[in-house]
Amino acid sequence: MLLNLQNPLTSLARVRRRWLIARSRIFDRKWYRAEYPESGVAGLDPIMHYLLSGADRGYRPHLLFDPAWYKNARGPRQRDQNLLIDYINYGAREGIDPSPYFATPFYRKAVGGTGGLTPLGHFVACGLPRGLAPTPLFDRAWYLKNNPDVRRAGFDPFLHFVASGARDGRSPGPLFDSAWYRMKNADARDEGMEPLHHYLAIGARQGRDPSRFFDTEFYVAAHRGRGAARETALAFYAERGRDGWHSTHPVLPPPASPSAYFEELPWHKSIPAPGAIEAPFRTLIVDVGEAAGRETAGLRQLLTMLVTLPGLDVYCVTDASMEPIPGVAILDLSRPDLALFDRSVVLERVLRAMKFRDPKGLVCEAVCAALPLARACADIGLPYHNLVASRPLAAEDWAELLAHRAAYRLSPPMTISVIVPNYNHARYLDGRLASILEQRLRPDEIIFLDDGSSDESLEIARAWQARSPIHFAITANATNSGSPFKQWAKGIESAAGDLVWIAESDDSSCPRFLERVAAAFIDPDVAVAYCDSEVIGMDGEILSSTYRFYTDSLSETKWLAGYVETGSREIAEALAIKNTIPNVSAVLFRRDALNEGLSAAEGHRYCGDWAIYVACLSKGKIAFCPRALNKHRRPPGSLTQEGERDAQGVREAIAIKLSIFACAPCDARIIWLSLAQTVFEYEIRSRSGGRKRPAFTKNKELADCVGKLRCFLGGQGHQFPEDTSEIAAYLRSVAANSASLRATDHPSFVTSVLQELKTIAVRG
């Protein structure tokens, strides 16, 4: 029953309610005065202002008390018209959250008891000063690491997130990706709702995914019997699954989990060699169940033999007592810290981690009572071998089996040259050069090319040269060359390595980058190998954990897992439509292929890298690693962003596509999707660039390009298709990932692009 507050409160009632609010420790006088300046008129006490008028206007008594959220959560159970009073007297005891960013059960469990205060009051008085977070979705250390501006300013990270970070699209931690959620959910973007607020209020209940690493339907299906449900799936994972070896996606690693990556599982090696790097191939022996260990002698003999095969890392998962074997990595599930976990859950996580690390990794079953291993490997997509059902094999037979099932082969070690083209990136050079020399697979030389920098770049490079453990050459131009591709050519001319890494000076890399990407070149036909990248800002803040936001319009599955593809097919299905390798720092080239492909960049200012990729792939295969081992910095005003807005960038893109169509004939479907991508990018950048320019076919700067396109289409007999449903579907998928388009604008925008395509197809 609501209290009748239509009549004026008596002075005594006001005093009592004011005392109740003050005693709750929730009300923040200083913040309230700053947020609502009129509350300080005539020296009125902020709490009294709140009681007399603020509450009725929907004012917040504290940053963490959201009246609209609380009212909606409270529903018909509300007993006091003043929402804060209702929370203090009733709602807190009933477990009602005062804000989307305050999880009452989680906080109660974290602190044990609240000493007579409400959970929010206790957090304000005790939890916040102790650096606690009242929700499992917020990670203070992660937020500070990934938001250096907040760290430098000395703000409390949680309060910063609630006050402005959520609104700005910053992520609260590794479990929820605000930028990705906003991009994938146009209603949240268009309504201006904070991404996490939208997810907790609407998205979770509807089964929407909180990040690309968390497939809600997959997770709930796997753990429904353990209490997981759509609305609470992410919180369930945060509190129970993250440290419980849960998988959250059929392919991608679980976010912020110690069991996310195969190589980072708690393997035990008896004699870890200092500085040892991963072999290009691996096999996993599974010996789990009641019969585990019965054939210990035979299994030990097999493992001892397998480690003698060159280029092969050997892993064993077991719950039987096993003495260490030199060179074998063992995961003992009988360890006290692992014994309580469900064996089937742990094994599934190991298998999925193996698949993400190495799709060719061979799984061998000695014993497995925890789950049907052959079926699990088939479902996940891993090669499988049953040790019991096959005859014992000698070392040469194992080499043959591995070659047949896991593409095992021997290859001589390859040398690596690193080219660092630099122009006025002194502020990033220490991090860039450190990340090169910290590679687990150390390169053989660094070639530093300064292109007329006016900052301290050369001084910093010379300091690193003096202490470099590998050959470090410096070449400096007196004036800027005007083209990064001229610098690439200069570096490649002096490079001696079998492989070349062009490590741009403002980017950075993880220590495993070379170790992981160079392994692809054991296949002699691979000309280019690359990995996914994180996108970072000027201060190193993560803008996106992957570049899949750019490639998903082509395929939402292709870039989930590692692959090796022929160059011609990669060009026809990906690079003919757009440059699907967004950053050269994530790429390793075979030097001979790169040297032959360099001439393709001549005359290009913006798209030379794209032209080089296409030229290199005419010489061989491409390999992709799905782990983001590169950090691509995208500062405002970069050459990349300049090219996205400049007509010259469009001209170069069209020239590359026409050369692809001429050299590697593509079917009509690919050609029209490619042109749709070009026109879409032009039109969307016209809209978002803050400058008006004519439609694609009416831009005089592009008239000759439009003419060439018409000539090509006419010469090949490609008429504008009568059925445009596939092109329209593709454009809708691209539009859905565009943050500058409202969902309501998608239909008209797609129609306008289709009209431009039709105009191109008509001869003038």
Side-chain angles (χ1 to χ4, degrees):
M1 176 180 177
L2 291 176
L3 294 177
N4 181 9
L5 296 183
Q6 299 304 312
N7 297 324
L9 292 171
T10 65
S11 296
L12 181 59
R14 288 197 190 103
V15 170
R16 285 175 176 170
R17 292 164 77 81
R18 180 187 178 284
W19 173 83
L20 181 67
I21 291 175
R23 181 174 174 271
S24 74
R25 307 293 293 274
I26 294 173
F27 200 93
D28 187 333
R29 289 178 170 86
K30 184 178 179 181
W31 178 84
Y32 188 85
R33 278 200 183 103
E35 191 74 5
Y36 313 111
E38 76 277 12
S39 65
V41 175
L44 186 64
D45 175 67
I47 296 181
M48 192 58 70
H49 179 276
Y50 173 76
L51 285 170
L52 293 173
S53 63
D56 291 337
R57 297 178 186 177
Y59 288 2
R60 295 185 179 205
H62 189 281
L63 178 63
L64 295 177
F65 189 88
D66 184 331
W69 174 274
Y70 179 79
K71 185 178 182 64
N72 183 64
R74 193 79 169 109
R77 293 173 293 172
Q78 183 180 334
R79 297 174 62 183
D80 195 297
Q81 188 166 323
N82 184 296
L83 294 169
L84 179 58
I85 298 290
D86 185 86
Y87 173 74
I88 295 168
N89 283 336
Y90 313 108
R93 286 200 302 271
E94 296 174 26
I96 306 299
D97 295 336
S99 156
Y101 307 134
F102 197 101
T104 299
F106 170 80
Y107 186 73
R108 285 189 185 277
K109 184 178 179 181
V111 298
T114 59
L117 294 171
T118 65
L120 178 56
H122 185 275
F123 175 73
V124 172
C126 307
L128 191 60
R130 288 166 53 192
L132 300 180
T135 168
L137 305 184
F138 187 84
D139 186 320
R140 295 176 67 91
W142 185 96
Y143 193 82
L144 287 173
K145 178 183 178 183
N146 290 286
N147 296 281
D149 56 329
V150 178
R151 185 176 65 246
R152 286 195 301 270
F155 294 136
D156 177 87
F158 180 67
L159 294 183
H160 179 275
F161 173 75
V162 177
S164 61
R167 184 176 62 251
D168 295 341
R170 305 194 195 208
S171 298
L175 304 187
F176 185 85
D177 188 333
S178 294
W180 183 88
Y181 187 84
R182 181 177 278 172
M183 180 182 68
K184 290 292 184 181
N185 296 277
D187 55 337
R189 184 172 69 241
D190 294 351
E191 292 166 14
M193 284 187 71
E194 297 169 358
L196 182 56
H197 189 157
H198 184 277
Y199 172 75
L200 294 171
I202 301 170
R205 187 172 62 254
Q206 296 178 348
R208 303 193 198 187
D209 297 334
S211 82
R212 60 181 51 81
F213 298 103
F214 196 97
D215 183 322
T216 303
E217 297 303 325
F218 170 85
Y219 188 74
V220 171
H223 300 284
R224 183 176 283 111
R226 300 177 179 90
R230 265 186 176 185
E231 192 165 357
T232 58
L234 187 59
F236 183 89
Y237 170 72
E239 296 183 55
R240 296 176 56 182
R242 177 165 38 176
D243 295 323
W245 293 70
H246 288 192
S247 294
T248 58
H249 191 281
V251 180
L252 297 176
S257 169
S259 61
Y261 297 105
F262 186 79
E263 63 274 17
E264 295 170 11
L265 298 179
W267 303 104
H268 175 71
K269 282 192 176 182
S270 57
I271 313 175
I277 64 168
E278 292 180 336
F281 302 97
R282 65 216 78 257
T283 188
L284 173 68
I285 312 296
V286 177
D287 181 47
V288 175
E290 293 181 3
R294 289 185 182 176
E295 299 295 332
T296 301
L299 181 60
R300 186 178 184 85
Q301 183 178 3
L302 170 63
L303 293 170
T304 303
M305 181 271 292
L306 285 174
V307 296
T308 64
L309 294 177
L312 181 70
D313 280 341
V314 181
Y315 299 84
C316 180
V317 178
T318 182
D319 57 2
S321 177
M322 180 181 290
E323 291 295 318
I325 301 172
V328 177
I330 297 174
L331 182 61
D332 182 0
L333 302 187
S334 66
R335 285 170 27 177
D337 58 327
L338 298 177
L340 297 178
F341 293 121
D342 185 320
R343 296 283 193 271
S344 65
V345 173
V346 173
L347 274 176
E348 187 205 16
R349 175 85 291 276
V350 172
L351 293 175
R352 292 192 185 279
M354 175 100 159
K355 169 69 174 181
F356 187 75
R357 169 61 187 90
D358 183 0
K360 303 184 303 297
L362 180 63
V363 179
C364 300
E365 179 176 358
V367 175
C368 187
L371 50 71
L373 191 61
R375 190 173 71 192
C377 287
D379 291 344
I380 292 171
L382 284 168
Y384 166 84
H385 177 69
N386 192 314
L387 295 173
V388 177
S390 62
R391 64 179 178 83
L393 300 176
E396 57 272 18
D397 297 323
W398 267 101
E400 185 177 339
L401 173 69
L402 287 163
H404 176 67
R405 303 298 302 280
Y408 175 77
R409 70 180 83 194
L410 300 180
S411 175
M414 287 174 282
T415 55
I416 301 174
S417 296
V418 185
I419 298 170
V420 184
N422 172 77
Y423 177 64
N424 283 342
H425 282 154
R427 65 178 294 193
Y428 304 124
L429 277 184
D430 282 327
R432 168 78 279 182
L433 295 172
S435 74
I436 293 171
L437 291 173
E438 289 169 0
Q439 292 295 305
R440 287 165 52 90
L441 175 59
R442 180 172 285 178
D444 297 274
E445 65 174 347
I446 295 174
I447 302 168
F448 185 87
L449 305 174
D450 188 75
D451 201 10
S453 294
S454 57
D455 60 9
E456 297 79 29
S457 292
L458 278 173
E459 290 82 350
I460 294 171
R462 287 170 182 143
W464 279 93
Q465 180 188 45
R467 60 180 185 271
S468 173
I470 62 175
H471 177 68
F472 192 126
I474 296 177
T475 301
N477 291 341
T479 57
N480 186 264
S481 67
S483 169
F485 309 117
K486 291 180 180 179
Q487 291 294 91
W488 293 13
K490 182 184 293 187
I492 293 160
E493 186 179 346
S494 58
D498 302 306
L499 307 177
V500 174
W501 175 22
I502 300 174
E504 293 187 306
S505 53
D506 57 339
D507 296 331
S508 184
S509 55
C510 299
R512 291 184 181 273
F513 170 76
L514 284 179
E515 174 187 57
R516 187 65 52 83
V517 180
F521 291 91
I522 201 164
D523 181 342
D525 294 328
V526 169
V528 175
Y530 75 111
C531 69
D532 197 1
S533 299
E534 290 181 345
V535 185
I536 60 175
M538 289 186 65
D539 294 318
E541 67 276 19
I542 294 180
L543 305 179
S544 176
S545 58
T546 176
Y547 256 116
R548 276 187 49 222
F549 68 86
Y550 183 64
T551 56
D552 271 358
S553 59
L554 292 178
S555 171
E556 293 193 351
T557 57
K558 177 181 173 72
W559 285 274
L560 288 178
Y563 67 83
V564 177
E565 186 57 270
T566 63
S568 58
R569 187 166 180 177
E570 187 76 5
I571 293 169
E573 296 183 353
L575 288 164
I577 299 174
K578 59 182 174 181
N579 184 3
T580 50
I581 308 177
N583 180 221
V584 74
S585 292
V587 183
L588 202 55
F589 298 89
R590 198 176 292 275
R591 187 190 61 182
D592 293 344
L594 178 58
N595 201 35
E596 290 183 42
L598 269 178
S599 60
E602 290 179 6
H604 290 287
R605 173 171 171 76
Y606 303 114
C607 299
D609 53 344
W610 186 2
I612 288 171
Y613 302 145
V614 172
C616 288
L617 291 183
S618 67
K619 309 295 181 184
K621 299 177 182 176
I622 187 169
F624 173 69
C625 168
R627 189 166 180 183
L629 300 170
N630 175 59
K631 297 177 185 293
H632 180 202
R633 197 178 308 273
R634 291 276 305 229
S638 65
L639 187 65
T640 300
Q641 294 183 2
E642 179 186 327
E644 290 173 349
R645 296 187 294 268
D646 196 320
Q648 177 60 26
V650 182
R651 295 171 63 86
E652 291 180 14
I654 293 171
I656 290 170
K657 292 184 176 188
L658 285 172
S659 70
I660 290 174
F661 300 154
C663 298
C666 300
D667 61 36
R669 170 183 167 273
I670 293 296
I671 290 171
W672 285 111
L673 292 182
S674 176
L675 297 183
Q677 178 72 34
T678 299
V679 175
F680 181 93
E681 289 181 355
Y682 173 88
E683 299 293 350
I684 198 69
R685 286 163 186 162
S686 296
R687 172 180 294 213
S688 60
R691 49 185 280 196
K692 290 185 177 180
R693 59 182 179 181
F696 183 85
T697 56
K698 295 180 179 178
N699 190 329
K700 294 180 180 179
E701 294 183 85
L702 301 177
D704 61 329
C705 293
V706 173
K708 290 176 182 178
L709 289 173
R710 284 176 174 154
C711 183
F712 165 75
L713 293 170
Q716 297 294 316
H718 293 305
Q719 297 181 350
F720 188 68
E722 292 183 10
D723 181 0
T724 60
S725 58
E726 185 174 5
I727 302 174
Y730 176 75
L731 287 170
R732 284 193 295 270
S733 72
V734 179
N737 291 332
S738 175
S740 57
L741 268 184
R742 295 178 62 86
T744 52
D745 295 335
H746 290 180
S748 61
F749 197 84
V750 169
T751 299
S752 69
V753 173
L754 289 173
Q755 183 57 48
E756 286 294 286
L757 291 174
K758 189 174 182 179
T759 303
I760 292 172
V762 177
R763 285 183 174 274

